[in-house]
Amino acid sequence: MKVITSVQDMQAICRRHYRSGVSIGFVPTMGYLHEGHLSLMKEARVANDIVVVSVFVNPLQFGPNEDFESYPRDAKGDEALAEEAGVDYLFYPTTENMYPKPLNNSLKALSRTGVLCGRSRPGHFDGVVTVLAKLFNIVSPDRVYMGLKDAQQVAVVQGLVDDYNIPTEIVPVPTVREADGLAKSSRNVYLNDAERHLAPRLHEALVKSSLLVKDGQNNPQVIVESILDFISDLPGSIDYVEVLSYPELEPIEALTGQVIIALAYRFSKARLIDNIIIDAGGIANV
Ligand code: AMP
């Protein structure tokens, strides 16, 4: 595995591979890699000749009071994990190299953003589509692997690819969880012991709501209430609990077609998100 820190080098290498006709699988991340990231890398490894993983904590997608400065970083650990996953190139650009001067043009995520994290993190998805447009042009991937833990991000980025005819396929990958159900996340390190003990209740609430659906409940409001009720005694605060169509992310009157049940919860230092996606065929991403 080669570690590349220069945007120009990474682009030159990928262009060479692209011209020689090999397929490129790409996993964009913010690092502090864990088994969730690993499953994306493994899927990429199976389906592509070359696998590129980027690690870049993108300042553009953090709000002024968010955790950009304190976001966990571990370059050595990331390198070991990526190497173990059979990655060919670990791309570690600096902020100065990614954004050498103010942008002349901006990308704005216009739809699918007035709900869920788009509502509670204004500007977040503008930062996401901006950095991914850059990374897609640097890496020229045939396939991009993205986790359904961030299901809204997958939907928004699919919109970017569709709008701008970006010649890549977005491959959604199911959420990887701890044994107790907590979705793996780089931000789980922010949890104190008591919070870590309670955090699996978020996933439990989603599973319970999916059982309600299985039993025939199709009123989104009842589902939301059941989740709010189940997590009401946790020590933090609820950011949102929403039931929407997926991937359109529109409000629904009744559960039909593919639906996302999603929540965000603030513990003392960690804001955690989780979701399940349900369709007529059953439950995906539990
Ligand atoms: P991040 O480093 O948090 O920006 O995540 C990079 C990619 O890994 C995104 O596509 C995430 O959705 C994905 N990811 C993060 N956590 C998980 C998880 N627990 N299971 C599957 N994918 C994940």
Side-chain angles (χ1 to χ4, degrees), residues 32 50 54 78 112 117 126 130 137 161 170 177 218 220 264 279:
Y32 209 66
I50 297 291
S54 65
D78 289 349
R112 300 170 176 164
C117 294
D126 300 341
T130 302
N137 280 324
V161 164
I170 302 296
R177 302 180 177 282
N218 79 343
D279 67 20

Side-chain angles (χ1 to χ4, degrees), residues 95-113:
T95 306
E96 293 69 33
N97 202 193
M98 282 293 277
Y99 300 113
K101 52 184 181 349
L103 294 169
N104 299 298
N105 301 277
S106 68
L107 279 176
K108 195 165 169 50
L110 297 174
S111 72
R112 300 170 176 164
T113 51

Side-chain angles (χ1 to χ4, degrees), residues 113-233:
T113 51
V115 292
L116 311 176
C117 294
R119 185 163 52 213
S120 47
R121 304 183 67 189
H124 168 68
F125 286 111
D126 300 341
V128 169
V129 292
T130 302
V131 77
L132 287 179
K134 287 172 70 73
L135 287 169
F136 292 173
N137 280 324
I138 294 165
V139 176
S140 315
D142 293 270
R143 298 178 194 85
V144 177
Y145 295 80
M146 304 192 73
L148 282 169
K149 178 177 160 287
D150 301 282
Q152 185 173 21
Q153 175 168 269
V154 174
V156 168
V157 173
Q158 185 63 60
L160 170 75
V161 164
D162 293 346
D163 285 351
Y164 291 95
N165 306 94
I166 299 174
T168 195
E169 179 192 350
I170 302 296
V171 184
V173 180
T175 301
V176 177
R177 302 180 177 282
E178 302 286 354
D180 58 14
L182 176 65
K184 297 222 179 221
S185 165
S186 308
R187 289 187 167 102
N188 289 349
V189 292
Y190 297 149
L191 296 168
N192 64 35
D193 288 350
E195 291 171 335
R196 174 62 190 84
H197 183 69
L198 292 168
R201 289 271 296 281
L202 301 176
H203 176 240
E204 220 181 310
L206 293 169
V207 172
K208 278 190 186 298
S209 73
S210 74
L211 296 179
L212 281 182
V213 177
K214 214 168 153 207
D215 284 348
Q217 181 55 257
N218 79 343
N219 181 335
Q221 202 45 46
V222 173
I223 308 275
V224 169
E225 294 297 337
S226 83
I227 293 175
L228 292 174
D229 197 43
F230 189 73
I231 61 177
S232 62
D233 60 341

Side-chain angles (χ1 to χ4, degrees), residues 4-16:
I4 311 290
T5 53
S6 144
V7 168
Q8 291 69 24
D9 289 353
M10 188 76 258
Q11 191 166 42
I13 289 167
C14 288
R15 282 181 73 83
R16 218 167 40 240

